[in-house]
Amino acid sequence: MRRSSEELDKMRKAGKVVAEMHEATRAAIRPGVTTSYLNEVAAAVLDKRGARSNFLNYHGFPSVICTSPNDMIVHGIPGSYRLAEGDIISIDCGAIVEGYHGDAAYTAGVGAISDLAKKLLEVTERSMWAGIDQLRVGNRLHEVGRAVQDVAEAAGFSVVREYVGHAIGTAMHESPQVPNYWPGTPGPTLKEGMVFAIEPMVNAGTYDTYVLEDGWGVMTQDGQLSAHFEHTIAVTDNGPEVFTLL
Ligand code: MG
Ligand code: MG
C-alpha cells in the first residue's frame, strides 16, 4: 500500500520515538542489568513522547519491547534475566504516533564479546543495510531478501526462515511479508510511498528454530548465537528513507 505525504509524516514521528527507545536502552545495557529494567527504560520514552506501544498486548504480549539474549532469536519477554559480560542482546522496539507505527531492532554486545559474536553483529547489520538499499522505485520487493541472504551466507551464517519482515503503516504487521531470503519469486514492484520493516534474523549455526514454553521466545535449535537488526523505511523517489534513525 502507498502512503500519502501526510501519512509518511506521522510515520516519521513514530520512527523517531522508536529511535529514541533504541538510544535509551542502548545506554542502559551493561552487565547486571535485568531485561525488565530495559523495558522500563523504553516505556519511559513512550510516556515522555505521548506515544502508544504497539507491542504491549499484541496477541497478549506483556511488555513494550522484546529482549532476546544470545541463542534467543526474537520475541523474548523482558523479565528477571540479568545481562552478563559477553552476552549479546537483541532489543526490538515499537511505537504508535497518531495511529501510525514504527518498528526497529538492534543487537548489542554486553561488555567484551567473542570474535564470533562481533562478526555475527557486524554481518547481520550489514545484511540489513544491503536489503534496505534494494528499496528503490521499480525494484521488485524480494530483491531485499536476496541481498540479505547473500551477505549472511557469504559470511558462513544462516538466515531464519519462519520469521520475516513486513509492510507497516496503520498496523505493525501489514502485507506483504518481506522474507530475508530469495523466496523463488520476485514479488511486487516497489512504488513511491510504500513502507516496510526490513529485519534480518541471522544465526551463527543453522536456521532452525523452536519456541519456548512461554509461547513467545524463539530460540535457535542448535543453541548457537542469533542477531537481529531492523529499521522502518519508506520507498521514495530519492531512494530509501529510514524513519527509525535520529
Ligand atoms: Mg520489530
Ligand atoms: Mg518488525
Side-chain angles (χ1 to χ4, degrees), residues 9-243:
D9 274 341
K10 291 172 183 173
M11 296 194 75
R12 280 187 191 96
K13 289 184 197 167
K16 292 287 182 239
V17 174
V18 176
E20 275 190 59
M21 294 166 85
H22 278 199
E23 192 174 70
T25 53
R26 218 182 250 285
I29 288 172
R30 60 184 174 275
V33 158
T34 63
T35 50
S36 67
Y37 175 71
L38 298 177
N39 183 67
E40 286 170 28
V41 166
V45 173
L46 287 168
D47 277 353
K48 188 170 93 181
R49 294 298 170 206
R52 283 175 44 224
S53 175
N54 39 11
F55 286 28
L56 184 65
N57 298 324
Y58 181 87
H59 296 283
F61 191 78
S63 306
V64 302
I65 62 172
C66 300
T67 53
S68 307
N70 298 321
D71 59 335
M72 190 181 285
I73 301 167
V74 283
H75 301 168
I77 299 174
S80 58
Y81 182 80
R82 276 182 199 283
L83 301 185
E85 177 93 16
D87 280 354
I88 60 171
I89 178 82
S90 297
I91 308 286
D92 198 345
C93 299
I96 308 172
V97 173
E98 296 172 45
Y100 287 81
H101 290 243
D103 181 15
Y106 67 93
T107 305
V110 182
I113 60 173
S114 70
D115 288 346
L116 174 66
K118 276 184 211 162
K119 181 183 171 191
L120 181 65
L121 267 52
E122 184 273 319
V123 167
T124 308
E125 185 169 17
R126 185 154 48 84
S127 76
M128 174 191 66
W129 288 113
I132 289 171
D133 193 51
Q134 295 299 319
L135 291 178
R136 293 175 186 279
V137 172
N139 268 10
R140 304 292 289 264
L141 179 62
H142 294 161
E143 295 298 340
V144 170
R146 171 141 59 192
V148 168
Q149 183 174 22
D150 282 352
V151 171
E153 291 183 356
F157 298 142
S158 66
V159 165
V160 170
R161 298 301 200 267
E162 290 105 324
Y163 305 88
V164 296
H166 49 94
I168 180 169
T170 51
M172 180 160 58
H173 295 136
E174 298 186 346
S175 289
Q177 294 191 333
V178 187
N180 295 301
Y181 54 92
W182 178 250
T185 56
T189 300
L190 298 177
K191 297 191 172 85
E192 188 273 328
M194 292 178 164
V195 187
F196 297 99
I198 301 302
E199 53 175 317
M201 288 144 263
V202 176
N203 293 353
T206 67
Y207 57 66
D208 302 297
T209 71
Y210 70 94
V211 178
L212 292 180
E213 281 176 14
D214 67 13
W216 284 102
V218 179
M219 312 295 293
T220 61
Q221 204 162 87
D222 61 11
Q224 294 209 56
L225 296 175
S226 184
H228 180 211
F229 284 84
E230 177 181 28
H231 274 304
T232 296
I233 307 103
V235 178
T236 82
D237 289 327
N238 301 315
E241 180 185 344
V242 180
F243 286 164

